Amino acid sequence: MSDDQLKRNIRPILHKPYGSMDLVSVKAPANHGSHSKDSNWWVVLNLAFQSIGIVYADLGTSPLYVYPSIFSNGIKHRDDILGALSLVFYTLTFLPLVKYVFVVLRAKDNGEGGTFALFSLICRYARVSLIPSQQAEDREVSNYKLELPSKRLKLASVLKSSLEKSQFAKIFLLLVTMLGTSMVIGDSIFTPSISVLSAVAGVKEVTSALTDDMIAGISVVILIFLFMIQRFGTHRVSYTFAPVLCVWFVLIGVIGFYNIIKHDTTVLKAINPMYIVEYFIRNKKDAWISLGGVVLCTTGAEALFADLGHFSVRAIQVSMCSMVNPALILAYTGQSSYLRQYPDEVSDAFYKSVPGPLYWPMFIVSILAAAIASQAMISGTFSIVHQSLSLGCFPPVKVVYTSANHEGQVYIPAINYILMLACIGVTAGFKSTVKIGNAYGTAVVFVMTLTSSLLVLVMIMIWKTNIFLIILYILTIGFVELLYLSSVLYKFTSGGYLPLALSAVLMIIMYVWNDVYRRKYHYELDHKISPARLKEISANKNMSRIPGLAMFYSELVHGIPPIFEHYVSNVPALHSIIVFVSMKSLHINKVPPEERHFFRRVEPRELFTFRCVVRYGYKDVREVAFEETLVTKLKEFIQEEILLQNQMLSTIGNNAENGTESEGEIVERNNDVANAKQLEEEIMQQEIEQVQKEWEEAGIVHMIGESEVIAKKEANIMKRMVIDHAYNFLKRNVRKREKVFDIPHERMLKVGMTYQL
């Protein structure tokens, strides 16, 4: 049988679209890292020690400013101190300890935490993503699968179905995630301001010559220095964080214990919650307003969840229960004991309660602890913005990877300078920790409340928690957080407006960019090239083939994007090899490198065209050698494709032997199969050699869509404002797409397009 006859007989079976074949996925080995961390107590203790320097800096420095914020108008009754201490004790117990350490940390996404982790868990379980880019193959990624309990509850199915059917619910869920992200970014403005200002204010204990303006000026200088060193990366100084914070917690714990023994041991009776009741009866509305100061003792609690990716759950639980929580309780109790004897010194309770010989050591350590707390929040903001970029929720900005060993450590210059200016403005504008505390409390409580809201969805749909436990959580933790939220909102005009205003600006930016991003995707989906049109292009006699490999970049993961139509209508030439590349972000933290590239062959085969979806998680880093990796994966795909086809040919031969064919027909069939295998292997070798040759000799040309986005003529005024003005303003002032992909300018060709949305 001739080669042409073999092709005619075998190709109809073999050359189905590659996506319709049953693919054999290569799974990454199961990750037992978290199990080994928890089973090896030495490793757990080591991680617990390290976590103290990263996770607890913000929470640990809260004793600097909590009591001045609670008693901003002074202490009116001696027993009010017991009521405030009781509130602080139970707030620390219920929110950071019970809620975050023992409940929220369970909602980890492959070891990662934070608002995006909760949102990603929900998106993977229910189809609530607003972009229809889901592929069945995505669920085969090893990190994508969820560990679900075996039991099924009707409530979980009903809620899942409701979310998937409601467009309003999908948009609302996205807005909640954006609001939570915006509030965390707001935290990174207020944390440096209040921490550094509170620490520097301690110098007034040794000299009264310094005014509030001078202290604010010194704080601004420290903040500028702190932001200037961000470009060098946290890995250069982070190894000192844990020892400094350990010294800090030991000092505040020991000083607190000393103050309890020296001044008033009766403060220990504040463990009785009746003092809270008496505090509210005695002060009524003022007690409710003071809750905005009490909640500041939980600042940094969200970091317990957000920084989970660096440590195991057990390590954070051990460090919290063994050192952090006891030290904070002793610190607040010691300050209360001191204030029972010296109630007029509440405005500077922390430094006033420090014994004289320990003042300077405590002042130096407090400055360092405040700087570490600021550093942790700034670095966290860089990470959050990086995640937002990956999911198309933030305009493109330059991202610098500051560590070769720790890929999660990033520095974003534009965000760094914006945060620096905002911190300087807040510090120089307010000059008071009480006023900054009003703004800070609003951001803290909003983030906690939004986390609880998403967590309840996780409890119902994914964990399938008993409904009575969910109700108990809402009635206890939820009620407490709403109570605190009502208090901080009362201080709206006294600084509480600032985080809401900042969050509103950030949300508008994020939503406008994401909204147009989604509209562009739907436009490409509606205008993708049909298979018939592609065959017509390939059969066009006027279309010449030129050497080289062309990459067409698009967001589209299904079909051929319209950028190709625009290109061939203006340039009657196609490169020898064409690859349509889509950068796709999955709702998981990381995609294993061996599962990142998903190829399909585009028919007809003679066109030598492929689709490649490059899948990233929201914490993944783009490869430096992107071209080389893609070419290597393309050659591997061609090889695997032929191997799969040969397996199918072997199956055809085996089935023939089990059928009713004569012995002669079976021999002939086996010969045909063997010849077909040899032919396919020869084709494979030729294609791989051609890919290598085109890459080495002619190189790669990158086709980037230079799109102009305008609203349709019939669009309403709101849509016109979003697309024609807001989006295009952002587009003009952010990084260009080729810079984001790090594409060499000399090998880039821009294809002009107009999107009428």
Side-chain angles (χ1 to χ4, degrees):
M1 186 177 291
S2 67
D3 286 353
D4 291 338
Q5 288 175 315
L6 277 173
K7 291 179 183 179
R8 285 194 296 270
N9 292 341
I10 301 298
R11 286 287 167 83
I13 300 174
L14 295 182
H15 294 143
K16 297 185 292 182
Y18 190 68
S20 64
M21 294 183 181
D22 295 328
L23 302 182
V24 180
S25 301
V26 180
K27 298 296 182 187
N31 184 7
H32 301 292
S34 61
H35 174 73
S36 61
K37 288 177 186 176
D38 292 345
S39 61
N40 188 334
W41 275 100
W42 173 251
V43 176
V44 171
L45 291 175
N46 185 37
L47 287 173
F49 173 74
Q50 294 178 35
S51 70
I52 291 173
I54 302 295
V55 176
Y56 300 106
D58 194 8
L59 186 65
T61 54
S62 58
L64 286 166
Y65 46 79
V66 167
Y67 276 127
S69 297
I70 295 174
F71 299 109
S72 57
N73 296 321
I75 299 173
K76 299 176 182 178
H77 193 282
R78 196 164 178 263
D79 282 349
D80 287 351
I81 299 170
L82 296 179
L85 176 59
S86 189
L87 279 167
V88 168
F89 173 77
Y90 284 105
T91 301
L92 280 172
T93 301
F94 276 104
L95 295 183
L97 190 61
V98 174
K99 175 189 170 180
Y100 279 95
V101 173
F102 291 106
V103 180
V104 177
L105 292 189
R106 290 182 55 218
K108 59 185 182 294
D109 177 22
N110 293 311
E112 296 291 339
T115 307
F116 272 103
L118 290 173
F119 181 65
S120 296
L121 284 174
I122 295 169
C123 285
R124 297 216 309 274
Y125 182 76
R127 292 181 176 273
V128 294
S129 176
L130 291 169
I131 296 180
S133 61
Q134 293 87 354
Q135 292 174 292
E137 295 81 9
D138 294 340
R139 296 188 175 274
E140 297 301 317
V141 176
S142 54
N143 289 349
Y144 200 94
K145 296 177 181 178
L146 294 172
E147 295 181 7
L148 300 174
S150 57
K151 58 184 178 180
R152 296 283 297 175
L153 294 179
K154 184 178 180 180
L155 180 60
S157 300
V158 171
L159 181 58
K160 177 184 177 182
S161 177
S162 300
L163 287 175
E164 291 178 341
K165 292 178 181 178
S166 173
Q167 184 73 5
F168 172 80
K170 293 178 181 179
I171 294 175
F172 183 75
L173 191 60
L174 177 64
L175 289 176
V176 166
T177 305
M178 288 181 176
L179 179 59
T181 302
S182 302
M183 285 292 180
V184 172
I185 295 174
D187 275 358
S188 64
I189 296 173
F190 301 115
T191 295
S193 301
I194 196 170
S195 299
V196 173
L197 191 61
S198 299
V200 174
V203 78
K204 289 193 295 184
E205 293 302 306
V206 293
T207 175
S208 57
L210 290 177
T211 64
D212 289 343
D213 290 340
M214 293 179 180
I215 290 173
I218 295 172
S219 301
V220 166
V221 171
I222 294 174
L223 288 171
I224 292 175
F225 174 76
L226 186 64
F227 281 100
M228 286 293 112
I229 64 173
Q230 293 301 314
R231 70 184 69 182
F232 302 110
T234 59
H235 66 286
R236 301 185 188 276
V237 292
S238 59
Y239 65 90
T240 62
F241 287 2
V244 171
L245 264 296
C246 282
V247 171
W248 168 260
F249 283 117
V250 169
L251 283 175
I252 64 174
V254 169
I255 292 172
F257 183 76
Y258 167 81
N259 285 327
I260 295 170
I261 301 300
K262 181 179 179 180
H263 298 293
D264 188 359
T265 57
T266 61
V267 292
L268 296 176
K269 60 186 180 182
I271 197 172
N272 185 350
M274 279 304 298
Y275 284 99
I276 298 176
V277 178
E278 293 174 0
Y279 177 67
F280 274 88
I281 292 174
R282 199 164 42 246
N283 295 281
K284 298 179 176 61
K285 182 180 178 181
D286 289 339
W288 169 67
I289 294 173
S290 71
L291 291 177
V294 174
V295 78
L296 293 179
C297 72
T298 66
T299 56
E302 187 69 22
L304 300 177
F305 186 40
D307 292 327
L308 183 60
H310 301 287
F311 311 100
S312 68
V313 172
R314 185 65 58 83
I316 292 179
Q317 290 173 340
V318 168
S319 57
M320 181 67 173
C321 296
S322 63
M323 174 173 276
V324 177
N325 198 60
L328 289 173
I329 296 298
L330 284 173
Y332 286 116
T333 307
Q335 286 188 43
S336 299
S337 181
Y338 179 84
L339 290 175
R340 291 270 286 179
Q341 192 167 344
Y342 304 102
D344 293 336
E345 297 181 354
V346 68
S347 62
D348 196 16
F350 180 82
Y351 282 108
K352 291 288 187 181
S353 64
V354 175
L358 290 178
Y359 169 77
W360 282 112
M362 200 65 196
F363 177 74
I364 294 171
V365 175
S366 66
I367 294 290
L368 294 174
I372 293 170
S374 305
Q375 175 65 56
M377 285 306 300
I378 294 167
S379 301
T381 298
F382 294 156
S383 178
I384 287 171
V385 172
H386 184 234
Q387 294 174 20
S388 303
L389 284 169
S390 300
L391 297 176
C393 294
F394 206 88
V397 289
K398 182 180 180 180
V399 178
V400 179
Y401 302 100
T402 59
S403 173
N405 299 322
H406 302 90
E407 62 181 24
Q409 293 186 1
V410 296
Y411 164 66
I412 304 178
I415 301 299
N416 185 63
Y417 289 116
I418 292 172
L419 290 179
M420 182 180 71
L421 293 175
C423 283
I424 292 172
V426 169
T427 305
F430 286 122
K431 301 175 186 176
S432 165
T433 57
V434 174
K435 292 180 180 178
I436 297 176
N438 293 338
Y440 196 13
T442 304
V444 169
V445 182
F446 256 101
V447 172
M448 285 186 172
T449 307
L450 293 172
T451 297
S452 285
S453 302
L454 294 175
L455 183 65
V456 169
L457 292 179
V458 171
M459 286 179 173
I460 296 173
M461 292 195 303
I462 301 175
W463 294 350
K464 299 178 176 62
T465 307
N466 188 294
I467 188 62
F468 295 105
L469 293 177
I470 296 173
I471 293 173
L472 179 64
Y473 178 88
I474 294 172
L475 293 180
T476 53
I477 303 296
F479 173 76
V480 170
E481 289 177 343
L482 289 176
L483 188 63
Y484 280 127
L485 183 61
S486 66
S487 176
V488 297
L489 288 178
Y490 180 80
K491 300 179 181 180
F492 182 82
T493 57
S494 302
Y497 64 88
L498 191 56
L500 295 176
L502 290 172
S503 296
V505 172
L506 285 170
M507 278 191 67
I508 290 172
I509 292 173
M510 294 172 74
Y511 186 78
V512 165
W513 191 265
N514 182 262
D515 180 65
V516 179
Y517 173 83
R518 286 185 278 112
R519 292 179 187 275
K520 286 173 62 179
Y521 187 92
H522 282 281
Y523 179 90
E524 289 192 349
L525 195 62
D526 294 338
H527 293 81
K528 66 182 180 181
I529 298 177
S530 65
R533 173 57 181 152
L534 189 62
K535 289 181 180 180
E536 181 184 331
I537 292 173
S538 64
N540 189 348
K541 300 297 184 181
N542 297 324
M543 190 68 65
S544 60
R545 302 303 292 264
I546 58 178
L549 196 155
M551 290 188 186
F552 288 84
Y553 290 85
S554 167
E555 305 293 344
L556 197 65
V557 299
H558 301 286
I560 307 301
I563 181 178
F564 186 65
E565 178 76 41
H566 283 263
Y567 173 78
V568 296
S569 62
N570 292 279
V571 182
L574 293 176
H575 289 76
S576 299
I577 305 170
I578 300 170
V579 181
F580 296 102
V581 181
S582 299
M583 302 289 189
K584 181 179 181 181
S585 293
L586 301 184
H587 287 287
I588 54 177
N589 60 335
K590 290 180 180 294
V591 176
E594 64 272 15
E595 301 177 17
R596 175 157 295 143
H597 298 79
F598 180 74
F599 280 90
R600 282 179 174 168
R601 187 184 291 274
V602 178
E603 297 296 337
R605 184 165 187 160
E606 292 73 21
L607 196 57
F608 211 168
T609 300
F610 304 87
R611 285 206 47 80
C612 177
V613 180
V614 188
R615 303 177 292 194
Y616 292 95
Y618 54 79
K619 299 208 79 173
D620 271 325
V621 175
R622 299 281 168 90
E623 302 95 334
V624 176
F626 178 77
E627 285 185 359
E628 183 179 353
T629 304
L630 191 139
V631 170
T632 301
K633 294 295 181 181
L634 175 58
K635 291 187 291 185
E636 289 178 3
F637 164 77
I638 294 172
Q639 187 174 12
E640 290 171 2
E641 182 186 32
I642 299 302
L643 291 175
L644 183 61
Q645 290 172 356
N646 285 345
Q647 289 178 6
M648 294 178 64
L649 285 169
S650 298
T651 303
I652 293 171
N654 294 335
N655 291 339
E657 292 178 4
N658 297 329
T660 58
E661 294 178 314
S662 66
E663 184 176 348
E665 290 174 333
I666 292 174
V667 171
E668 183 181 358
R669 181 71 170 182
N670 287 340
N671 289 335
D672 290 346
V673 169
N675 292 333
K677 283 184 178 181
Q678 183 179 357
L679 179 62
E680 290 296 325
E681 289 175 0
E682 291 175 358
I683 293 173
M684 173 194 74
Q685 193 61 38
Q686 291 173 3
E687 289 185 339
I688 291 176
E689 289 175 357
Q690 185 177 354
V691 170
Q692 187 68 25
K693 178 183 177 182
E694 298 293 344
W695 180 43
E696 291 178 348
E697 296 182 1
I700 297 177
V701 177
H702 302 268
M703 307 290 185
I704 304 292
E706 184 70 10
S707 59
E708 180 185 0
V709 181
I710 59 174
K712 293 180 180 178
K713 293 182 179 180
E714 62 272 19
N716 57 46
I717 187 169
M718 181 59 69
K719 190 174 179 181
R720 287 181 177 276
M721 288 179 63
V722 169
I723 297 175
D724 294 342
H725 301 287
Y727 174 80
N728 283 306
F729 172 79
L730 291 173
K731 186 184 174 187
R732 287 193 300 269
N733 291 278
V734 299
R735 297 193 86 205
K736 300 301 181 183
R737 193 176 183 188
E738 61 271 16
K739 292 183 178 179
V740 176
F741 291 145
D742 197 22
I743 295 172
H745 189 270
E746 64 275 9
R747 290 191 282 112
M748 178 186 65
L749 181 64
K750 293 185 178 180
V751 181
M753 292 183 61
T754 300
Y755 290 81
Q756 287 193 340
L757 307 179

